[in-house]
């Protein structure tokens, strides 16, 4: 008997044959891709990857602008049985250097404007194949793929085989690559398809970046698995979203997207009349945004909670019979996912008690790439993953996230780890020490700021420090403001009291 192929691509592809000549993806520059186009293009790209004769488990790293072809590269990587490693286009040289040396990809695909610096980094990291891909369908990747056959048998993969590695920054030290398997991604995609009640004829507005879980997995997998057309935006633009609402039924965004849409007078009940579902996640949604959305559009936002290590964990209900959507909560554990809230001693807490959120399920990742000790630290002896989030269940089983035990800032849906920014600041001449915190920000939810203590006699300039950081780290991580102080507030243990710094600056971007 033929063994079942658990390659995630096979499940996503099931819809390709149903209606091959219908539009699968329509872009904001007027292109339409049919399901048959997706089938052919992923076959050609997979054949190109296959022609490189790479060992099983080889990584394909991609740092490109958002484009349909970048999504096709992801799908082709799965199809070829290789491991996809998406990288934010905002990452600068030092960041990329680390990822390439740590992940040792066999293939790197970059924007051609970045080739002059990505090429040498890839060489140094021993990468055998470097291709370019631009958002106007040019670059060596597509040129080479065009010479390949458009037929390809998907590689055989088991549920436990790696599909992707997603880097999440570490609270201290090095960034960690979360290893996600075909089984992790497919089980979660199927769960969401059922729980969010995907319907025949659903149309998704895809407005998120595709180098993180929300845009790459939750949004794209949802539409592909359901055979739903995607109205594809290369970049989030509230007006472009509004224009497409009358033709769409599903939208997914981080809270900043909802805040920006609410600033548009054109966002009305009429504009949203055809919509079925608005999903929010990746960062806390303010109750004000939740309520204003209800008043303005007549729709109740569905807030859900997830992580790179676990994909989606909890969600407010979609169907009325599953319950109501409660603002300020992330809903209940998804079917098949277990969530518990425990105290510092690991004991299970009762409803309404605040503690550490731990999770278990088929969606939970395999571990951190080449970091067995770190992986072991993040799991309990009985196999639960410690999320680093702090929360409580209410009597109805709805989870509220009240904070994080990890020192993490979420700005516009992007994670910023203070330790990383502090280490760059501390390495700057004239800086004695620094503290990076997040303060409330009307647009980004949290805004990154830094408090810097200059060395005696040193004269530091905010603009110069910002300019230096912009060369070292992704733009969204760079503090929006830097303040200078003679010393940092510390407690009796000598630990910097970040809560005091946060309250000192809490009105800055309110
Ligand atoms: C851009 N900038 C930012 C951010 N984005 N600064 C802080 N935080 C940000 N998120 C900077 C730009 O570099 C620029 O800096 C300045 O802000 C103005 O840019 P603007 O045009 O406003 O930005 P934008 O290009 O419109 O981007 C804003 C955005 C974008 C659309 C909200 O950040 C975005 O797409 N966020 C979504 C992130 C996401 O998909 N997260 C999901 C992760 P300068 O002026 O200095 O040049 S997945 C996840 O978290 C888990 C698993 C989950 O649960 O989903
Ligand atoms: P990432 O490392 O990018 O996977 O980000 C995961 C983190 O985002 C989680 O551990 C949470 O802290 C946060 N997060 C995701 N969704 C939500 C949400 N709906 N509300 C609050 N925090 C969230």
């Amino acid at each position: 008997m033929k063994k079942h192929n658990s390659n995630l691509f096979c499940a996503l592809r099931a819809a390709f044959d149903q209606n091959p000549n219908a539009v699968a993806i329509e872009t904001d520059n007027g292109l339409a891709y049919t399901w048959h186009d997706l089938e052919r293009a992923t076959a050609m790209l997979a054949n190109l990857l296959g022609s490189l004769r790479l060992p099983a488990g080889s990584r394909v790293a991609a740092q490109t602008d958002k484009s349909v072809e970048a999504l096709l590269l992801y799908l082709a990587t799965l199809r070829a049985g290789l491991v996809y490693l998406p990288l934010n286009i905002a990452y600068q040289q030092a960041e990329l250097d680390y990822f390439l040396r740590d992940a040792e990809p066999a293939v790197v695909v970059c924007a051609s404007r970045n080739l002059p610096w990505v090429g040498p980094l890839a060489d140094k990291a021993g990468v055998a194949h470097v291709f370019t891909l631009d958002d106007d369908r040019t670059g060596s990747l597509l040129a080479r793929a065009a010479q390949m056959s458009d037929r390809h048998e998907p590689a055989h993969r088991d549920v436990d085989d790696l599909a992707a590695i997603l880097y999440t920054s570490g609270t201290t030290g090095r960034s960690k690559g979360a290893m996600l398997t075909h089984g992790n991604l497919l089980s979660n995609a199927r769960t969401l398809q059922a729980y969010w009640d995907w319907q025949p004829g659903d149309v998704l507005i895809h407005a998120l970046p595709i180098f993180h879980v929300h845009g790459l997995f939750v949004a794209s997998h949802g539409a592909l698995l359901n055979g739903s057309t995607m109205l594809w935006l290369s970049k989030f633009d509230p007006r472009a979203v509004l224009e497409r609402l009358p033709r769409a039924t599903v939208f997914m965004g981080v809270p900043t997207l909802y805040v920006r849409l609410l600033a548009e007078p054109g966002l009305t009940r009429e504009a949203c009349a055809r919509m079925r579902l608005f999903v929010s996640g990746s960062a806390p949604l303010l109750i004000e945004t939740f309520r204003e959305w209800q008043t303005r559009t007549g729709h109740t936002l569905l807030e859900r909670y997830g992580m790179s290590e676990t994909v989606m964990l909890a969600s407010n209900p979609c169907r009325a019979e599953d319950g109501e959507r409660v603002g300020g909560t992330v809903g209940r554990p998804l079917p098949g996912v277990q969530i518990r809230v425990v105290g510092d001693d690991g004991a299970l807490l009762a409803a309404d008690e605040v503690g550490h959120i731990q999770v278990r399920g088929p969606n939970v990742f395999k571990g951190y790439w080449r970091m067995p000790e770190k992986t072991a630290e993040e799991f309990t002896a009985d196999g639960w993953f410690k999320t680093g989030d702090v929360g409580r269940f209410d009597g109805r089983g709805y989870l509220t996230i009240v904070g994080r035990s990890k020192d993490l800032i979420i700005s516009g849906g992007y994670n910023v780890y203070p330790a990383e920014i502090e280490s760059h600041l501390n390495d700057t001449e004239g800086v004695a020490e620094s503290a990076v915190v997040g303060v409330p920000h009307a647009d980004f939810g949290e805004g990154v700021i830094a408090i810097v203590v200059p060395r005696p006699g040193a004269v530091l300039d905010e603009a110069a420090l910002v300019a230096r950081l912009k060369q070292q780290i992704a733009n969204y991580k760079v503090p929006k403001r830097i303040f200078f102080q003679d010393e940092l507030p510390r407690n009796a243990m000598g630990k910097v009291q970040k809560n005091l710094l946060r309250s000192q600056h809490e009105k800055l971007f309110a």
Side-chain angles (χ1 to χ4, degrees):
M1 209 175 78
K2 211 173 153 195
K3 210 174 145 216
H4 175 72
N5 189 354
S6 298
N7 189 328
L8 165 66
F9 178 79
C10 296
L12 300 177
R13 178 208 208 182
F16 291 14
D17 296 332
Q18 283 168 14
N19 211 347
N21 297 319
V23 174
I25 307 181
E26 183 188 299
T27 67
D28 45 2
N29 55 359
L31 297 175
Y33 297 71
T34 64
W35 295 98
H36 181 62
D37 292 335
L38 303 195
E39 164 60 25
R40 283 191 66 227
T42 54
M44 292 160 92
L45 284 163
N47 278 322
L48 169 58
L49 293 171
S51 74
L52 306 176
R53 307 257 173 264
L54 304 173
S58 294
R59 278 77 58 209
V60 176
Q63 192 197 27
T64 65
D65 294 303
K66 182 178 178 184
S67 68
V68 173
E69 284 67 29
L71 179 70
L72 295 174
L73 172 63
Y74 160 59
L75 296 173
T77 302
L78 296 175
R79 188 169 187 157
L82 301 174
V83 180
Y84 192 64
L85 169 54
L87 295 166
N88 196 319
I89 189 72
Y91 292 146
Q92 301 291 315
Q93 298 202 29
E95 293 163 308
L96 204 75
D97 184 43
Y98 171 75
F99 296 129
L100 298 188
R101 282 187 296 110
D102 191 59
E104 295 186 321
V107 179
V108 166
V109 181
C110 69
S112 59
R113 66 174 183 284
N114 292 341
L115 186 62
W117 59 270
V118 176
L121 291 181
D123 274 353
K124 212 171 72 180
V127 176
H129 308 276
V130 178
F131 297 99
T132 57
L133 174 63
D134 292 319
D135 56 3
D136 59 357
R137 296 190 295 164
T138 59
S140 59
L141 183 80
L142 298 181
R144 283 281 301 277
Q147 298 158 11
M148 299 288 153
S149 156
D150 62 0
R151 292 180 165 266
H152 177 274
E153 191 55 37
H156 207 283
R157 296 282 92 184
D158 285 327
V159 273
D160 278 339
D161 285 330
L162 285 197
I165 298 179
L166 268 76
Y167 274 87
T168 71
S169 307
T171 316
T172 50
R174 302 185 296 140
S175 211
K176 301 163 290 181
M179 300 190 286
L180 292 160
T181 64
H182 287 263
N184 292 148
L185 296 176
L186 182 57
S187 71
N188 208 241
R190 286 210 195 285
T191 299
L192 293 178
Q193 189 189 25
Y195 198 67
W196 290 350
D197 206 21
W198 279 86
Q199 301 285 324
D202 265 336
V203 173
L204 171 81
I205 301 179
H206 194 301
L208 287 163
I210 54 166
F211 26 66
H212 297 294
V213 162
H214 202 162
L216 184 64
F217 300 148
V218 186
S220 306
H221 289 173
L224 291 170
L225 204 55
N226 197 55
S228 278
T229 304
M230 287 191 247
L231 304 179
W232 186 265
L233 300 180
S234 48
K235 186 180 184 311
F236 170 70
D237 168 4
R239 301 260 165 96
V241 172
L242 285 184
E243 271 169 32
R244 284 160 180 76
L245 286 177
R247 296 171 50 215
T249 59
V250 182
F251 179 81
M252 297 186 191
V254 301
T256 300
L257 270 53
Y258 290 103
V259 169
R260 291 188 183 184
L261 280 164
L262 281 167
E264 292 294 325
L267 183 82
T268 58
R269 279 175 187 250
E270 297 70 45
C272 299
R274 190 168 171 248
M275 288 295 291
R276 182 177 73 77
L277 181 62
F278 289 98
V279 177
S280 175
S282 310
L285 177 73
L286 291 179
I287 190 76
E288 294 80 22
T289 312
F290 176 86
R291 291 200 181 119
E292 204 186 336
W293 193 267
Q294 229 163 11
T295 315
R296 281 276 292 284
T297 69
H299 284 270
T300 306
L301 285 173
L302 179 156
E303 186 173 6
R304 65 24 167 216
Y305 159 57
M307 291 183 76
S308 298
E309 288 92 333
T310 63
V311 215
M312 295 302 102
L313 290 165
S315 171
N316 271 280
C318 179
R319 284 175 295 249
E321 63 260 37
D322 289 335
E324 61 170 329
R325 296 179 202 161
V326 183
T329 83
V330 295
R332 299 199 184 93
L334 281 166
V337 177
Q338 290 171 277
I339 303 185
R340 69 183 187 188
V341 174
V342 301
D344 288 336
D345 57 358
L348 204 60
L349 296 180
D352 297 324
E353 290 184 322
V354 172
H356 305 283
I357 301 175
Q358 300 182 343
V359 301
R360 204 160 70 166
N363 53 309
V364 176
F365 75 135
K366 210 172 171 170
Y368 294 111
W369 173 254
R370 290 181 181 163
M371 288 188 182
E373 301 83 19
K374 193 74 206 161
T375 304
E377 263 172 43
E378 302 297 327
F379 281 86
T380 64
D382 54 349
W384 293 72
F385 174 62
K386 306 173 191 168
T387 63
D389 293 311
V390 173
R392 67 176 138 73
F393 278 113
D394 66 15
R396 291 181 301 176
Y398 282 64
L399 181 68
T400 296
I401 298 175
V402 298
R404 302 166 202 135
S405 57
K406 51 195 173 190
D407 193 10
L408 161 70
I409 301 167
I410 306 183
S411 172
Y414 284 140
N415 289 3
V416 181
Y417 280 86
E420 184 190 354
I421 322 304
E422 287 159 6
S423 83
H424 283 284
L425 283 168
N426 298 346
D427 285 345
T428 308
E429 209 185 319
V431 173
E433 59 173 347
S434 62
V436 168
V437 294
V439 294
H441 192 291
D443 182 32
F444 291 127
E446 286 184 279
V448 178
I449 64 165
I451 291 83
V452 165
V453 178
R455 285 190 186 283
V459 181
L460 293 172
D461 173 59
E462 182 180 1
L465 278 184
V466 165
R468 187 183 139 95
L469 284 173
K470 280 193 173 176
Q471 291 180 343
Q472 296 172 321
I473 51 174
N475 228 346
Y476 64 85
K477 299 180 187 171
V478 176
K480 303 280 178 217
R481 287 297 313 272
I482 298 180
F483 299 96
F484 300 101
Q485 255 171 236
D486 290 340
E487 57 181 9
L488 298 174
R490 290 183 187 277
N491 64 15
M493 312 287 288
K495 202 169 172 292
V496 176
Q497 290 170 298
K498 290 198 166 180
N499 53 331
L500 294 184
L501 295 172
R502 274 190 286 267
S503 43
Q504 192 184 337
H505 296 283
E506 73 185 347
K507 298 263 155 35
L508 194 63
F509 309 116

